[in-house]
Amino acid sequence: MRITLDNAFKINGKQTSIDLFIKEKAINFLIGENGVGKSSLFTYMKINKDLFKGTRVAFVDQEKLNPLSDLSVSEILAVVIEELVDVKSWEECEHVKNLEIEKLLDKKVSCLSGGENQKLKLALSLILPFDILLLDEPLQSLDVKSQKQVISTLEDISKEKGVLIIEHNVKKYESFNGCLNVMKEGNDFVEVSHGRS
C-alpha cells in the first residue's frame, strides 16, 4: 500500500510531502530524527483512516490506556471481545497468548507498568480484525524479555499482514523484510520517502 500526500497538513509548521510505502506480508519501518514529526504523521493517519482506502488498520500508539484505568485487564478484554462477531475469547488469538497477557488479567489498568500497558494495547489491537498494523515505538517501556516477545509476535504477524513500525532502532528487528520509509526535515518542509528493501 502506498500513501502519498502533498501539503495535506503541516508538521512543525512546515509543508509536507509524504510518499509512504507499506509492503504486504512484511515488517516496514518509518524512521527519522527525534522531533521530525513521525508521531504527528501517525496521528494524522489514525484520524484520517480513509487514506487506507477501505483496508482495515489497527493502531498502537504511545499513549497509556488512562480512560480505562478503573477496569481490570480481563474486564477490558471482555468488553472488546463482546463487540466482535468472530471471536469468543482472547485465548483464541495465538498472538495475544504469546504476549503472556494471562499474567495481567487480575490487574487494574491503573496498576500496570508502562511495559504492561504497552503489551495490553498491542493485545487489544491484535484481537481486532485488521490487514495492516501500525505501531508507534512499540518497544517503548518494555524490558528485554518483553521486547523479544513483541518482536517475535510482530514477525509472526508479518507473515500474513502488513506491519508498519515507527522506530528509532531497527537493528532489534532481525527479519526486517519490507520498506524503509525515512522522514526528513528541511528548512521549510518535512518529507517522507521510501526505498524498497
Side-chain angles (χ1 to χ4, degrees):
M1 165 163 279
R2 191 171 185 176
I3 297 173
T4 55
L5 298 166
D6 280 319
N7 300 322
F9 68 108
K10 290 187 175 187
I11 295 177
N12 301 332
K14 298 178 179 185
Q15 298 296 323
T16 55
S17 176
I18 310 295
D19 186 9
L20 180 74
F21 191 81
I22 305 169
K23 184 178 173 184
E24 294 179 20
K25 297 182 181 181
I27 291 182
N28 305 271
F29 289 98
L30 173 60
I31 64 169
E33 298 287 327
N34 282 337
V36 74
K38 298 180 303 292
S39 293
S40 296
L41 177 58
F42 178 92
T43 301
Y44 182 84
M45 291 188 295
K46 189 174 180 181
I47 293 169
N48 297 283
K49 292 183 180 129
D50 57 323
L51 293 170
F52 296 95
K53 302 174 181 129
T55 301
R56 299 172 303 175
V57 182
F59 294 88
V60 181
D61 59 24
Q62 295 183 33
E63 301 300 317
K64 283 193 167 193
L65 292 169
N66 290 330
L68 305 172
S69 61
D70 291 337
L71 298 176
S72 70
V73 170
S74 60
E75 289 170 327
I76 288 175
L77 288 167
V79 167
V80 172
I81 298 290
E82 187 177 295
E83 298 297 318
L84 299 175
V85 176
D86 298 332
V87 182
K88 294 178 179 56
S89 72
W90 63 268
E91 291 97 336
E92 292 179 35
C93 183
E94 191 65 33
H95 299 307
V96 174
K97 290 193 325 192
N98 293 342
L99 296 172
E100 299 181 350
I101 293 299
E102 70 277 358
K103 294 179 180 179
L104 307 176
L105 292 175
D106 295 330
K107 282 189 166 185
K108 290 208 178 280
V109 173
S110 58
C111 297
L112 296 178
S113 69
E116 290 170 338
N117 200 294
Q118 191 75 357
K119 285 169 76 171
L120 176 58
K121 288 189 312 180
L122 179 56
L124 291 171
S125 295
L126 297 179
I127 293 169
L128 301 172
F130 66 89
D131 302 303
I132 296 175
L133 180 63
L134 266 68
L135 307 106
D136 191 359
E137 296 187 35
L139 304 182
Q140 180 177 291
S141 304
L142 295 175
D143 60 34
V144 173
K145 179 186 175 206
S146 295
Q147 285 183 12
K148 288 179 180 176
Q149 284 176 324
V150 168
I151 290 169
S152 175
T153 299
L154 295 176
E155 288 172 346
D156 285 346
I157 290 166
S158 73
K159 293 173 185 169
E160 301 171 8
K161 318 235 181 210
V163 176
L164 176 66
I165 302 170
I166 295 174
E167 191 62 84
H168 294 289
N169 184 2
V170 299
K171 292 176 185 173
K172 293 180 182 181
Y173 299 83
E174 293 178 16
S175 66
F176 161 52
N177 57 355
C179 285
L180 184 64
N181 297 275
V182 179
M183 190 169 212
K184 295 179 183 175
E185 185 174 18
N187 290 334
D188 55 355
F189 68 92
V190 173
E191 70 176 5
V192 172
S193 58
H194 65 270
R196 294 187 185 261
S197 61

